[in-house]
Amino acid sequence: MIAELQLDLARMRSLKVASGPVLCGRVMACDGGLVEVAGLPLPIGSLGAIEGEDGEVSLAEVIGFRSGHSLMMLLGDTVLLRPNAPVRALGNPGAVQLGDALLGRAVDGLGNPIDGGPPLGLNQSWPLAGRRESALERAPVREPFDCGVRAINALATMGVGQRMGVIAGSGVGKSVLIDTVAGHAEADIIVVALIGERAREVSDFVSRHMQGARRGRIVVVAVPADHAPNLRLRAAQYASAIAEYFRSRGKRTMLIVDSLTRVAHAARELALLLGEPGAARGYPPSALAAITKLVERAGNSARSGGSVTGLYTVLADGDDAQDPVVDTARAILDGHILLSRDLAQRGHYPAIDIPASLSRVMDDLVDPHLMHAARRIRSLVSAREENRDLVLMGAYRSGTDPVLDAALEQSAVIDAFLQQPRGDAINLADSFGELQSVASIGAAHA
């Protein structure tokens, strides 16, 4: 007990305590989750503590200004909030605390532990919005990244520092695919942001991954769907800040955000609350810009030699591939994996639509003969899927199309290559070896 108290005292001595006065204000109005505060001129993104009627403290974040008053949004519920309630400033505006103590832990959007573990001793400050780098400070993507999924490794090869999207409708297998990548990707640090998901999925993910040898290099930032929109948006920014921090130390980091659509929804709620008009299908311009800012924080650093490889899931509402969030994400990402509901209904896992999926950096990562093999498999899969109905009706005559003939003859081999048992991992070398084997069989029968 004495030893633990001595450790706590040592941590307290190391903390930097501000000696100046603390800014305070008063609640002037409250409309839903939006709180108008007078006498508290804080920058946007700053946090404040509002005292309730029963003495409880509610956290709020500055999201705008109006007529000299700060507009704050609660990070929790509006229970027992009263007029003229005192509000005091908290922490350093726009900064978060990071450190190695985050490894192996699950936290919320404010950095508070949610896994039942001890408090975190974090002593490194980092901007929540990140440190902007010039375009020339970003090193190019030149090294392949092993994600553990054979179809992606072989046919849409990811690179270290690439930003890849996983696009699909609800219930098609995004979360399961992300779970496989998080459990088997080759990276020094893995940061997983679960934004707007079900609380049960958060609990299941933590119980599966926060154990064993990999626990010491994974960080989970989770804010379920029933939390405030600014807390959901802050969680995505916080996870990106964690990944950037480890990149600055030369680490090969992987950032997984599930999902980018929930981040856009949170940004839309904030923008509409501030009076910004909706544009593309109700999404204000700032909501779509939030996606671009978040994705651009991933990449390679020429200065530190570290990297952030980003994998972002994108929910296509109503399976609409032209949804504004999907379209915006696809335009800024370095590639995308499209999941097919038809394949999922056939029991094909992972349900990756190979012809519609691509990696924009694959040509720079693999040898020309592997690219030729990948194109061969893509052409066979495309020919088979385009003529599937014709073949099932018996209207196709063998010999009409040599490519389709080869695709039908090697259909079982191709399906066995594209499918992978859940939880299993196939590394890059094995994926490339099997790719060449399947492509050579198809070429021999062409």
Side-chain angles (χ1 to χ4, degrees):
M1 178 64 72
I2 295 177
E4 293 180 0
L5 290 174
Q6 289 175 337
L7 288 174
D8 288 337
L9 287 173
R11 292 192 191 100
M12 292 178 186
R13 293 192 194 99
S14 64
L15 294 176
K16 296 181 179 179
V17 180
S19 58
V22 178
L23 289 175
C24 292
R26 293 283 177 177
V27 173
M28 303 303 295
C30 178
D31 184 8
L34 189 64
V35 180
E36 189 172 336
V37 179
L40 195 66
L42 294 175
I44 292 177
S46 303
L47 296 181
I50 306 176
E51 285 190 23
E53 184 68 32
D54 56 353
E56 292 291 328
V57 173
S58 300
L59 293 180
E61 180 182 10
V62 178
I63 61 173
F65 306 100
R66 181 183 298 155
S67 302
H69 292 173
S70 296
L71 300 179
M72 305 185 75
M73 188 170 191
L74 290 170
L75 295 169
D77 298 325
T78 58
V79 179
L80 299 181
L81 192 64
R82 58 185 173 85
N84 293 317
V87 185
R88 70 177 187 275
L90 292 178
N92 297 323
V96 291
Q97 297 299 115
L98 305 175
D100 289 339
L102 284 166
L103 297 175
R105 303 298 301 275
V107 299
D108 62 11
L110 297 171
N112 300 319
I114 60 173
D115 54 7
L120 298 171
L122 306 175
N123 53 13
Q124 298 293 324
S125 181
W126 193 269
L128 180 63
R131 294 176 179 170
R132 187 185 298 274
E133 295 179 340
S134 70
L136 296 182
E137 289 180 351
R138 290 293 177 88
V141 178
R142 290 289 182 265
E143 185 179 350
F145 181 85
D146 186 358
C147 69
V149 180
R150 178 171 50 208
I152 299 177
N153 279 344
L155 300 176
T157 310
M158 293 179 61
V160 175
Q162 182 180 2
R163 292 84 55 88
M164 179 74 82
V166 178
I167 303 172
S170 59
V172 183
K174 296 187 306 298
S175 298
V176 178
L177 182 61
I178 288 297
D179 192 80
T180 301
V181 174
H184 301 287
E186 292 296 327
D188 299 328
I189 307 293
I190 298 177
V191 182
V192 182
L194 303 176
I195 312 298
E197 299 298 320
R198 294 177 286 271
R200 176 192 58 80
E201 290 187 347
V202 174
S203 177
D204 291 346
F205 186 93
V206 171
S207 63
R208 282 193 302 270
H209 294 279
M210 290 303 190
Q211 57 185 347
R214 292 179 67 88
R215 175 176 181 174
R217 55 193 178 107
I218 188 170
V219 183
V220 176
V221 181
V223 175
D226 60 341
H227 286 62
N230 53 335
L231 188 58
R232 281 179 268 145
L233 181 59
R234 189 180 184 89
Q237 295 171 333
Y238 186 50
S240 299
I242 295 173
E244 288 176 325
Y245 167 74
F246 285 110
R247 177 179 63 188
S248 69
R249 298 176 56 190
K251 300 293 185 180
R252 179 180 292 187
T253 309
M254 181 171 201
L255 172 63
I256 299 175
V257 178
D258 184 19
S259 73
L260 207 60
T261 305
R262 305 300 186 195
V263 175
H265 288 175
R268 177 176 61 182
E269 290 183 49
L270 291 177
L272 294 176
L273 190 63
L274 290 172
E276 187 177 347
R281 298 193 188 180
Y283 285 97
S286 63
L288 299 178
I291 299 176
T292 303
K293 292 178 182 178
L294 197 66
V295 170
E296 274 297 307
R297 296 175 67 172
N300 294 325
S301 174
R303 181 182 304 174
S304 67
S307 64
V308 175
T309 304
L311 188 63
Y312 305 87
T313 67
V314 184
L315 176 64
D317 290 331
D319 290 347
D320 183 9
Q322 306 305 318
D323 181 81
V325 177
V326 176
D327 201 39
T328 301
R330 191 164 43 199
I332 193 65
L333 292 167
D334 300 323
H336 57 270
I337 304 298
L338 184 64
L339 302 186
S340 166
R341 189 174 296 277
D342 290 338
L343 290 176
Q345 291 173 346
R346 295 182 217 164
H348 186 291
Y349 175 81
I352 299 175
D353 187 342
I354 296 300
S357 303
L358 62 90
S359 171
R360 296 178 181 175
V361 300
M362 185 175 177
D363 287 347
D364 300 325
L365 304 177
V366 301
D367 295 331
H369 65 279
L370 288 173
M371 280 300 303
H372 178 75
R375 292 192 184 100
R376 175 66 182 172
I377 298 299
R378 281 177 171 274
S379 66
L380 294 178
V381 174
S382 179
R384 186 185 65 175
E385 294 302 317
E386 287 177 0
N387 296 277
R388 177 178 173 80
D389 293 339
L390 195 66
V391 173
L392 291 177
M393 289 188 300
Y396 174 72
R397 293 181 58 184
S398 179
T400 304
D401 185 350
V403 176
L404 181 56
D405 291 338
L408 295 175
E409 187 173 352
Q410 300 303 316
S411 182
V413 176
I414 293 173
D415 283 341
F417 172 75
L418 296 179
Q419 295 186 63
Q420 180 175 324
R422 298 188 179 188
D424 288 1
I426 293 90
N427 60 34
L428 270 172
D430 292 341
S431 299
F432 288 150
E434 294 179 36
L435 169 65
Q436 289 181 299
S437 177
V438 173
S440 63
I441 293 175
H445 291 80

